[in-house]
Amino acid sequence: MTASPVQRRDADSVRVLTIDRPERLNALDRDTLEALDAAFAAAADDPQVRVVVLTGAGPKAFVAGADIAQMAALTPIQAHEFSTLGQRLMRRIERLPKPVIAMVNGYALGGGLELAMACHLRIAADMARLGQPEVNLGLIPGFGGTQRLLRLAGRAAALELCLLGTPIDAARALQLGVVNRVVAAAELEAETMSVAAQLAAAAPLALRGILDAVLAGGECPIEEGLQFETARFGLLFASEDMREGSAAFLEKRKPQFRNR
Ligand code: DAK
């Protein structure tokens, strides 16, 4: 049996998924995309999992892009299938009903940056380099890079990264809003797991409402987004966790959220 290109481990209610092809800088081939898709579907369905952390194996890369060797040999039909699979995966991650953190431990290039941008938060090591170098291959980003970069960091950043194709360092990525936090490489895992633990202790239905509302808001006019927020706000008054959160505050204790 061949080893899966995606390793999984659980730390309390945090699921850590590690793309495990360090000899290829964790480049995304078809098998890896399929394994990731299955892993995220399983994480979504597992009630024990409250947060997902995604990272790459080895000291150098989160993901150095789509697997160029495999991609170069694709027929048009296979390229279409590859695209469908990749787009489905990115959308699945973006729409996951629980927070997903990309722990960017090195290069996040091309499909690797697109994967990180489909996650809800990005925490990067200070030595990470991020970019959309597809233009250097005569391509454009194909897993949503032009669209997510635009929405995440604005038109200037999207055009700079995609047109020039030159990777930027983590500090510049933070400045542009492409990542949320930058920490020393040695502290990346501790920092990421601390953020994950904070999210794991939060009310899951509230987190889900925030993810749904922010995602919907990025894709519709503000009036519709506000209506969506109001509906989700009202719905939470039917949850036990909302009662628990208010009661804990008034009783000056920590809330115990039960996802109900
Ligand atoms: N694919 C395949 N192999 C890769 C790879 C990649 N993206 N990146 C690195 N590798 C392999 C290298 O070939 C090398 O293999 P060996 O020579 O040892 O056999 C090994 O990983 C180690 O890499 P290097 O020796 O190059 O390591 P360095 O430290 O010298 O350089 C680097 C690191 C990240 C600067 C360099 O490896 C590099 O420039 N890599 C390519 C980065 C890149 O251009 N990425 C974007 C790929 S294009 C699509 C949708 C989306 C996409 C495509 C289609 N459809 C809708 C159909 C996405 C496209 C992309 O992501």
Side-chain angles (χ1 to χ4, degrees), residues 23-25 27 60 64-69 71 79 82-83 107 109-111 114 133-134 137 139 142-143:
E23 70 292 350
R24 284 278 164 276
L25 302 189
K60 276 173 76 169
D67 189 311
I68 299 173
M71 197 173 70
F82 189 71
S83 170
Y107 289 110
L109 300 175
E114 291 172 299
E134 289 87 346
L137 302 170
L139 284 170
F143 290 152

Side-chain angles (χ1 to χ4, degrees), residues 75-134:
T75 65
I77 298 285
Q78 288 168 333
H80 186 269
E81 286 169 3
F82 189 71
S83 170
T84 305
L85 180 58
Q87 298 273 8
R88 187 178 74 205
L89 168 65
M90 305 297 159
R91 207 63 177 137
R92 185 191 296 286
I93 296 172
E94 192 167 56
R95 289 182 164 168
L96 216 75
K98 32 194 106 172
V100 183
I101 306 172
M103 183 163 86
V104 183
N105 56 313
Y107 289 110
L109 300 175
L113 180 53
E114 291 172 299
L115 185 60
M117 289 193 296
C119 300
H120 304 124
L121 294 172
R122 283 153 296 286
I123 304 178
D126 52 4
M127 39 62 84
R129 293 185 67 78
L130 304 92
Q132 297 290 167
E134 289 87 346

Side-chain angles (χ1 to χ4, degrees), residues 12-75:
D12 296 323
S13 45
V14 179
R15 175 151 301 169
V16 180
L17 299 176
T18 304
I19 301 168
D20 194 13
R21 299 184 77 212
E23 70 292 350
R24 284 278 164 276
L25 302 189
N26 305 316
L28 302 172
D29 62 358
R30 194 191 163 86
D31 287 352
T32 307
L33 290 177
E34 279 175 349
L36 280 171
D37 199 46
F40 275 100
D45 287 346
D46 188 336
Q48 301 304 319
V49 176
R50 290 203 178 175
V51 182
V52 182
V53 170
L54 176 64
T55 194
K60 276 173 76 169
F62 173 71
V63 170
D67 189 311
I68 299 173
Q70 191 183 70
M71 197 173 70
L74 296 179
T75 65

